[in-house]
C-alpha cells in the first residue's frame, strides 16, 4: 500500500512538473512574461544573458532546498528534489510549437491556470518546486498562511522589479498571471482535501447508522441531543464522507426514514496523522 501511495505521489509530481514546464516554455517565455521566485529569476536570466532556464532552475532551487532542510521534513525535501529534476528535464526538451498571439491576455491566463494546477498537484503530493514554494510552505507551517497566498507574496517580490527587463505592460500581465496561479493553487489544495460533514436527525437513527456503516465500511458517531421545544431526546448521526459517498447514502436514508432531517456542511480538509496539511 505504501509503495502504491508513493508511486501515485511521484506520478502527480511528475505531471505537475510537466504542466509547469509547458506554462513556461509555451506561454510565458514566447510572450516575454515574467514569473515569481526562482522561476522569475530563470526567465530574467534567459531574457538578459540567454542562460538556459533548466540550468538556472536546477542550480538556484538546489540552493533553496539546502535551506529547506532546516525547516521542512526530509520527505518533503526528497519529493521536491524529484520535482526539480523533472522540471529541469522538461524545460530542457525541444519546443515543438511556439505559440504567438497579439492577445497577450490569452497566454497570461493560460500560463496562470497551468501553473496553478501544476502547483496544486505537486503540493498535494507533499512536494514543491522549491523556489518561493519552499518559503511558502515554511510560512504555512509556522504562520498558518495559505501556501498559494504566501507564495504569491514572494513571487511578487521578484516579478515587480522585473519591470526594468520586460517592461511595464508585461509586468502587469505577470502580476495577473501570478494572481491567477495563486487562486488556482489554493482552490486545488482545498478541493483535494475537502469532505462533507453529515448530521442526521431521525426516529430510526440506529437503523440508519447501521445501514450507512455497512454501505461505506466506516464508523459513524451518535451524539445524544435534546430538543428544547419537544423535550425529547434523540441521537444525532454524525460522520464525514466524500461527495461521491453522500450520493450513495441518500437513497439508504430515504428508504429507512423519508422524514429524516439531513444537514450537510463542506469542510476544507480532514486530516488525522498528517495534521500540518490542515493549514
Amino acid at each position: 500500500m505504501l509503495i502504491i501511495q508513493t508511486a501515485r505521489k511521484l506520478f502527480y509530481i511528475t505531471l505537475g512538473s510537466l504542466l509547469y514546464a509547458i506554462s513556461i516554455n509555451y506561454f510565458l517565455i514566447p510572450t516575454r512574461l515574467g514569473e515569481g521566485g526562482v522561476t522569475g529569476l530563470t526567465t530574467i536570466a534567459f531574457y538578459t544573458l540567454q542562460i538556459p532556464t533548466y540550468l538556472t532552475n536546477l542550480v538556484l532551487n538546489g540552493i533553496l532546498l539546502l535551506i529547506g532542510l532546516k525547516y521542512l521534513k526530509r520527505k518533503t525535501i526528497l519529493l521536491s528534489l524529484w520535482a526539480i529534476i523533472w522540471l529541469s528535464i522538461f524545460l530542457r526538451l525541444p519546443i515543438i510549437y511556439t505559440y504567438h498571439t497579439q492577445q497577450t491576455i490569452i497566454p497570461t491566463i493560460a500560463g496562470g491556470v497551468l501553473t496553478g494546477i501544476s502547483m496544486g498537484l505537486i503540493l498535494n503530493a507533499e512536494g514543491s518546486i522549491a523556489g518561493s514554494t519552499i518559503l511558502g510552505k515554511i510560512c504555512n507551517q509556522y504562520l498558518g498562511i495559505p501556501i498559494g497566498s504566501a507564495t504569491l507574496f514572494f513571487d511578487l517580490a521578484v516579478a515587480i522589479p522585473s519591470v526594468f527587463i520586460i517592461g511595464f505592460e508585461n509586468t502587469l500581465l505577470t502580476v495577473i498571471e501570478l494572481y491567477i496561479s495563486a487562486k488556482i493553487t489554493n482552490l486545488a489544495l482545498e478541493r483535494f482535501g475537502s469532505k462533507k460533514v453529515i448530521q442526521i436527525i431521525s426516529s430510526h437513527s440506529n437503523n440508519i447508522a447501521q445501514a450507512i456503516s455497512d454501505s461505506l465500511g466506516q464508523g459513524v458517531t451518535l451524539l445524544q441531543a435534546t430538543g428544547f421545544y419537544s423535550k425529547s431526546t434523540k441521537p444525532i448521526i454524525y460522520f464525514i464522507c466524500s461527495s461521491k459517498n453522500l450520493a450513495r447514502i441518500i437513497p439508504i436514508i430515504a428508504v429507512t426514514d423519508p422524514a429524516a432531517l439531513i444537514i450537510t456542511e463542506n469542510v476544507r480538509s480532514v486530516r488525522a496523522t498528517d495534521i500540518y496539511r490542515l493549514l
Side-chain angles (χ1 to χ4, degrees):
M1 187 65 178
L2 179 60
I3 296 177
I4 296 176
Q5 290 178 347
T6 302
R8 186 182 294 114
K9 288 180 180 180
L10 294 178
F11 170 76
Y12 284 140
I13 290 174
T14 305
L15 177 60
S17 301
L18 174 61
L19 294 178
Y20 201 95
I22 291 174
S23 174
I24 295 172
N25 282 343
Y26 289 84
F27 292 103
L28 302 185
I29 288 182
T31 316
R32 199 174 172 80
L33 295 179
E35 247 291 347
V38 168
T39 306
L41 295 177
T42 63
T43 57
I44 291 175
F46 178 78
Y47 295 146
T48 57
L49 304 174
Q50 293 299 305
I51 300 176
T53 54
Y54 75 91
L55 183 59
T56 312
N57 171 75
L58 192 62
V59 173
L60 295 183
N61 278 327
I63 295 174
L64 281 176
L65 275 185
L66 293 177
I67 297 175
L69 279 172
K70 183 178 180 180
Y71 301 99
L72 300 175
K73 294 185 295 184
R74 187 171 299 274
K75 179 181 179 181
T76 299
I77 296 298
L78 291 175
L79 291 173
S80 299
L81 180 60
W82 176 270
I84 292 170
I85 292 173
W86 277 106
L87 177 58
S88 296
I89 291 174
F90 290 135
L91 287 173
R92 182 70 177 84
L93 293 178
I95 298 175
I96 301 174
Y97 171 74
T98 302
Y99 178 77
H100 290 291
T101 177
Q102 298 298 321
Q103 304 295 327
T104 50
I105 192 64
I106 296 177
T108 298
I109 295 174
V113 171
L114 279 177
T115 302
I117 293 174
S118 68
M119 291 302 301
L121 288 170
I122 293 172
L123 291 171
N124 190 62
E126 301 182 63
S128 74
I129 55 168
S132 54
T133 57
I134 283 287
L135 301 177
K137 287 178 77 71
I138 292 173
C139 288
N140 174 252
Q141 182 167 324
Y142 291 97
L143 301 177
I145 302 173
I147 295 178
S149 302
T151 301
L152 175 62
F153 172 79
F154 292 111
D155 284 344
L156 290 176
V158 173
I160 293 178
S162 66
V163 64
F164 300 105
I165 305 297
I166 62 177
F168 181 72
E169 180 178 340
N170 280 10
T171 299
L172 289 180
L173 290 172
T174 298
V175 172
I176 294 174
E177 184 268 332
L178 289 173
Y179 178 78
I180 294 173
S181 174
K183 285 295 182 181
I184 296 293
T185 298
N186 285 337
L187 180 62
L189 291 175
E190 290 174 3
R191 292 298 299 170
F192 285 143
S194 66
K195 297 286 185 180
K196 287 188 178 292
V197 169
I198 317 297
Q199 299 179 67
I200 305 169
I201 302 175
S202 169
S203 300
H204 306 278
S205 297
N206 289 330
N207 293 335
I208 294 175
Q210 186 63 56
I212 291 173
S213 182
D214 292 341
S215 175
L216 300 184
Q218 71 176 57
V220 298
T221 301
L222 294 179
L223 306 173
Q224 292 298 325
T226 301
F228 178 79
Y229 180 77
S230 65
K231 306 301 181 184
S232 62
T233 300
K234 292 181 181 179
I236 295 178
I237 302 173
Y238 180 95
F239 65 101
I240 298 169
C241 71
S242 65
S243 298
K244 181 179 179 180
N245 285 336
L246 177 60
R248 290 173 51 191
I249 67 171
I250 291 298
I252 297 174
I253 300 171
V255 169
T256 308
D257 184 7
L261 176 63
I262 305 173
I263 305 167
T264 65
E265 296 179 85
N266 292 320
V267 292
R268 184 175 71 87
S269 187
V270 178
R271 303 291 175 187
T273 57
D274 195 6
I275 59 175
Y276 276 108
R277 295 187 68 194
L278 286 168
L279 299 173

